[in-house]
């Protein structure tokens, strides 16, 4: 029998649990975007800062989770380190709370936390594989490799951030007939600020072997022949930081963890951001830059070319001469170019767009 109440209430909204080990910044942004699109979202994460993501600065992690709660995302934190059995009863209790919430889909980030495996085996699960193959110089611990293998085995479907990564995942994992969806890495779209008065080239993030810092340094020597007024800014930390030459006049360095607010100011004050990577799957720092309207010069590896508004921003990997040419050609990019970059980011990488596509993928998986 049809009643007034049944006419006023449509189907219950989808429930999605977003789980992560690292990738908390990505997970929170995606969770907030899906919540804004009408999905009920619960975020499950560790109760402490991950060193490579926050430099163990817990205040940034706490602020991020407060923002998620303010946006209507439920948050469950798993206490203790992975191997600390003292917290096991509390972890089990919180996982049982998540199960009792009756999610439709688990949106699981590629991880090395075995505690999250319970959720994957008990529900429809989509695993986002951020890096299908290890970066050059990266060593994944044996325990982490086993957990990752088990997480992939539990998946009903997979997500990668580009078509080229779909091929990498197919080669690196036995997927069977399970679907692999492509979902771009999202970015928050902000307002455009005017470029700096003097040209500034920025590289920021983890300074590891695959990031191509020596290629950028060689390219800048070419740039300085014709444009000695250009300042190179290098921010971040990693093993390659020791390669930065001592040149206080032309090179500004900020070595260490960069808080989010300071990072946004650093991006806004750059003429162009450069990602001279030798190998990559994608780049959160690159998407963050274009979301603020700052042009990004990238190498032709992984999904980096999707960050470029046009082909003039893409150069071959390891080619310092062509990289130098691309940098020089974009040093005069003004406010109009920033508006074009922001428009491109909004049309191809906004979290709004990512959430719409992710929800459609989850509905398809849940209906299987």
């Amino acid at each position: 029998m049809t009643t007034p109440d049944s006419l006023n209430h449509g189907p219950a909204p989808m429930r999605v649990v977003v789980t992560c080990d690292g990738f908390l910044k990505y997970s929170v942004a995606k969770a907030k975007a899906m919540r804004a699109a009408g999905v009920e979202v619960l975020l499950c994460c560790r109760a402490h800062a991950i060193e490579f993501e926050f430099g163990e600065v817990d205040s940034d992690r706490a602020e991020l989770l407060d923002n998620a709660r303010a946006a209507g995302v439920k948050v469950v934190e798993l206490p203790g380190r992975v191997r600390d059995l003292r917290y096991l009863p509390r972890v089990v209790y919180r996982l049982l709370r998540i199960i009792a919430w009756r999610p439709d889909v688990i949106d699981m980030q590629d991880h090395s936390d075995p505690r999250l495996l319970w959720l994957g085996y008990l529900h429809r699960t989509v695993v986002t594989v951020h890096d299908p193959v290890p970066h050059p110089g990266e060593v994944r611990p044996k325990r982490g490799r086993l957990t990752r293998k088990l997480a992939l085995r539990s998946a009903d479907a997979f997500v990668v951030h580009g078509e080229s990564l779909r091929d990498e995942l197919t080669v690196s994992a036995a997927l069977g007939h399970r679907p692999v969806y492509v979902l771009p890495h999202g970015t928050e779209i902000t307002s455009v600020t005017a470029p700096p008065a003097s040209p500034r080239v920025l590289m920021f993030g983890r300074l590891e072997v695959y990031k191509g810092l020596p290629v950028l340094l060689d390219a800048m020597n070419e740039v300085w022949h014709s444009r000695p007024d250009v300042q190179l800014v290098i921010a971040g930390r990693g093993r390659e930081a020791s390669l930065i030459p001592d040149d206080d006049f032309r090179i500004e360095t900020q070595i260490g963890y960069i808080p989010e607010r300071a990072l946004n100011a650093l991006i806004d004050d750059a003429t162009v951001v450069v990602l001279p990577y030798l190998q990559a799957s994608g780049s959160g720092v690159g998407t963050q830059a274009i979301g603020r309207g700052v042009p990004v010069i990238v190498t032709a590896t992984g999904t980096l070319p999707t960050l470029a508004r046009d082909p003039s921003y893409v150069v071959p990997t390891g080619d310092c001469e062509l990289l130098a040419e691309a940098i020089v050609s974009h040093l005069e990019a003004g406010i109009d170019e920033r508006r074009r970059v922001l428009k491109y980011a909004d049309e191809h990488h906004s979290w709004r767009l990512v959430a719409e596509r992710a929800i459609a993928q989850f509905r398809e998986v849940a209906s299987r």
Side-chain angles (χ1 to χ4, degrees), residues 42 52 66 69 83 106 118 139 143 161 218 222 229 252 274 312 343 366:
L42 185 151
F52 81 84
D66 286 343
R69 294 185 183 97
R83 297 183 180 182
I106 306 295
W118 290 24
V139 179
R143 176 179 57 82
H161 294 314
D218 289 342
E222 297 289 332
D229 58 322
E252 174 187 326
V274 180
S312 68
K343 183 175 183 293

Side-chain angles (χ1 to χ4, degrees), residues 4-309:
D5 283 345
S6 66
L7 291 174
N8 292 334
H9 294 83
M14 172 175 262
R15 290 188 166 190
V16 176
V17 172
V18 180
T19 71
C20 66
D21 183 3
F23 303 108
L24 182 60
K25 294 178 181 180
Y26 172 91
S27 299
V28 167
K30 186 177 180 183
K32 289 167 58 179
M34 289 193 294
R35 184 70 191 97
V39 171
E40 291 190 21
V41 184
L42 185 151
L43 174 70
C44 177
C45 62
R46 292 196 192 192
H48 60 270
I50 303 297
E51 195 275 336
F52 81 84
E53 190 169 18
F54 295 97
E56 297 188 349
V57 178
D58 200 64
S59 58
D60 273 14
R61 183 196 69 90
E63 182 178 355
L64 194 67
L65 294 182
D66 286 343
N67 290 338
R69 294 185 183 97
V73 176
K74 302 178 187 296
V75 177
V76 173
E77 300 177 71
L78 300 184
R81 305 284 172 168
V82 171
R83 297 183 180 182
D84 193 341
L85 297 181
R86 294 174 301 171
Y87 292 90
L88 184 59
R90 291 168 59 187
V91 169
V92 172
Y93 172 72
R94 295 185 186 193
L95 291 174
L96 289 174
R97 282 176 53 199
I98 295 174
I99 294 169
W101 192 62
R102 301 179 65 85
D104 297 294
V105 173
I106 306 295
D107 178 12
M108 182 174 289
Q109 313 311 303
D110 199 4
H111 68 90
S112 59
D113 188 340
R115 301 173 299 180
L116 298 174
L117 293 175
W118 290 24
L119 299 175
Y121 279 102
L122 293 174
H123 303 87
R124 295 289 188 189
T125 301
V126 179
V127 175
T128 298
V129 184
H130 294 266
D131 299 311
V133 298
H135 299 303
E138 178 185 8
V139 179
R140 290 175 174 172
K142 185 176 181 180
R143 176 179 57 82
R145 294 198 303 270
L146 176 60
T147 301
R148 181 177 187 270
K149 183 177 181 180
L150 293 173
L152 294 179
R153 185 176 295 175
S154 73
D156 295 281
F158 304 90
V159 165
V160 291
H161 294 314
E163 290 293 342
S164 62
L165 303 185
R166 185 203 296 266
D167 297 335
E168 288 184 3
L169 180 62
T170 302
V171 171
S172 64
L175 306 183
H177 297 291
R178 293 173 291 177
V180 180
Y181 299 106
V182 173
L183 190 68
H185 193 301
T187 187
E188 181 180 358
I189 305 300
T190 64
S191 57
V192 171
T193 59
S198 300
R200 290 166 60 88
V201 174
L202 172 63
M203 177 181 179
F204 68 100
R206 297 170 61 193
L207 303 176
E208 299 296 341
V209 174
Y210 68 96
K211 292 297 185 76
L213 176 59
V215 178
L216 176 59
L217 294 174
D218 289 342
M220 288 306 301
N221 285 326
E222 297 289 332
V223 170
W224 285 321
H225 283 310
S226 59
R227 294 294 302 269
D229 58 322
V230 178
Q231 186 169 38
L232 173 64
V233 182
I234 302 175
R237 59 205 176 107
R239 290 170 291 181
E240 298 284 276
S242 61
L243 302 179
I244 303 172
D246 187 9
D247 188 342
D248 293 337
F249 181 72
R250 298 186 298 186
I251 302 177
E252 174 187 326
T253 59
Q254 296 187 31
I255 304 304
Y257 171 69
I258 310 296
E260 201 69 15
R261 292 174 183 172
L263 179 55
N264 288 334
L266 202 61
I267 295 172
D268 291 342
D269 202 30
T271 306
V272 65
V273 172
V274 180
L275 307 179
Y277 298 0
L278 303 176
Q279 183 269 354
S281 49
S283 173
V285 298
T287 53
Q288 186 171 353
I290 64 173
R292 304 188 73 82
V294 179
V296 177
I297 296 175
V298 302
T299 52
T301 181
T303 63
L304 296 188
T306 65
L307 303 178
R309 190 183 68 78

